[in-house]
Structure formats: structure tokens, C-alpha cells
Amino acid sequence: MDQRQVGIEVRNSSIPRWRANAQLVWGAGGLEVSWNLRFLSAVTETCANALVTPVPGCSDAPGATHSLHSLVYHDAQVSWADAFRLTGLRVAVGVNNLFGTSPPLCFTCTLNGYDAGTYDLPGAFWNARATYKF
């Protein structure tokens, strides 16, 4: 069994050296807008671990590596408290990965070149929520 290490892609999983989240929130009255940034630093995979070699874009030299670049996901949400003049009703609409940032190509991953354990699915994901507290 391979030992997981920080910054190294092994068996469809990695531990980025840096993960950071930042959130900016603005609110007035019952309206609230939030913008979230999620950062993942680059990780490295060993080209020799690819299921099929040689891999285009990955050298076949001994010890060759490939970098899965760092990325930032942008998430946004807008919520409205006491919506439609109903006290206790909150309506929210949001999106994860607003700009549809694609995960980096992983040559050693078995899920179509994608590390699902570390990165979000490609594309933007919209959501809506209504809650009522009485």
C-alpha cells in the first residue's frame, strides 16, 4: 500500500500542501450576498504510476513527474430574509464553482483522469433553498 504524502497524488487521492478559504459577505436589511473563494495548491504525480504509458504530456524518463496545477473555486450565494413579507421565511440561491473551473488532468487517476477525492466535479452547480422558522 502506498503511503500518502502532502503534495503527492497517489491512488486517486492527494493532500494539497495548502488549502485556503476566504469569504466576503455584504448585507443590508434582509438581503445578504456572499462570495467564497476556495484555493487548492498544486500536487505532483509520478508519471510511471500511470495505468498506460507513455502518456502524452508526461515524460517517459525515469522519475518523471506531472504537476496538477493549483486552482481557485468561486462560490456565490444571495439570500433574502423575511422574503415576501413573511416573517421567518428565508430564500437563498447559490452556485458552487461559478466559473466552471475544471480540475487538473490526472494521468494516474482511474476515474477518467480525474481525482474526485480532492477536486469538485467539472462545471457549475446551482442550488436554491427556502427555510421557514416559526
Side-chain angles (χ1 to χ4, degrees), residues 86-134:
L86 292 173
T87 303
L89 177 64
R90 177 178 290 273
V91 177
V93 176
V95 59
N96 287 358
N97 194 8
L98 177 64
F99 300 117
T101 302
S102 293
L105 182 61
C106 176
F107 296 134
T108 61
C109 296
T110 57
L111 184 60
N112 296 328
Y114 166 66
D115 176 358
T118 304
Y119 303 98
D120 287 4
L121 288 169
F125 293 89
W126 293 87
N127 62 75
R129 178 179 58 213
T131 56
Y132 184 72
K133 294 183 180 180
F134 51 92

Side-chain angles (χ1 to χ4, degrees), residues 1-118:
M1 186 161 151
D2 295 322
Q3 181 69 30
R4 292 184 65 193
Q5 295 177 1
V6 173
I8 306 295
E9 175 74 37
V10 177
R11 297 192 187 273
N12 301 311
S13 182
S14 65
I15 304 170
R17 182 167 305 282
W18 294 101
R19 285 183 181 253
N21 295 317
Q23 183 176 44
L24 179 63
V25 179
W26 174 85
L31 185 65
E32 185 174 277
V33 179
S34 66
W35 188 274
N36 304 303
L37 301 174
R38 295 180 288 132
F39 170 79
L40 298 169
S41 65
V43 297
T44 304
E45 63 182 335
T46 303
C47 292
N49 289 343
L51 296 176
V52 178
T53 55
V55 176
C58 201
S59 171
D60 56 356
T65 61
H66 171 251
S67 176
L68 282 70
H69 61 80
S70 61
L71 55 80
V72 176
Y73 291 114
H74 296 261
D75 306 330
Q77 180 173 300
V78 176
S79 65
W80 181 22
D82 298 333
F84 309 107
R85 297 184 187 176
L86 292 173
T87 303
L89 177 64
R90 177 178 290 273
V91 177
V93 176
V95 59
N96 287 358
N97 194 8
L98 177 64
F99 300 117
T101 302
S102 293
L105 182 61
C106 176
F107 296 134
T108 61
C109 296
T110 57
L111 184 60
N112 296 328
Y114 166 66
D115 176 358
T118 304

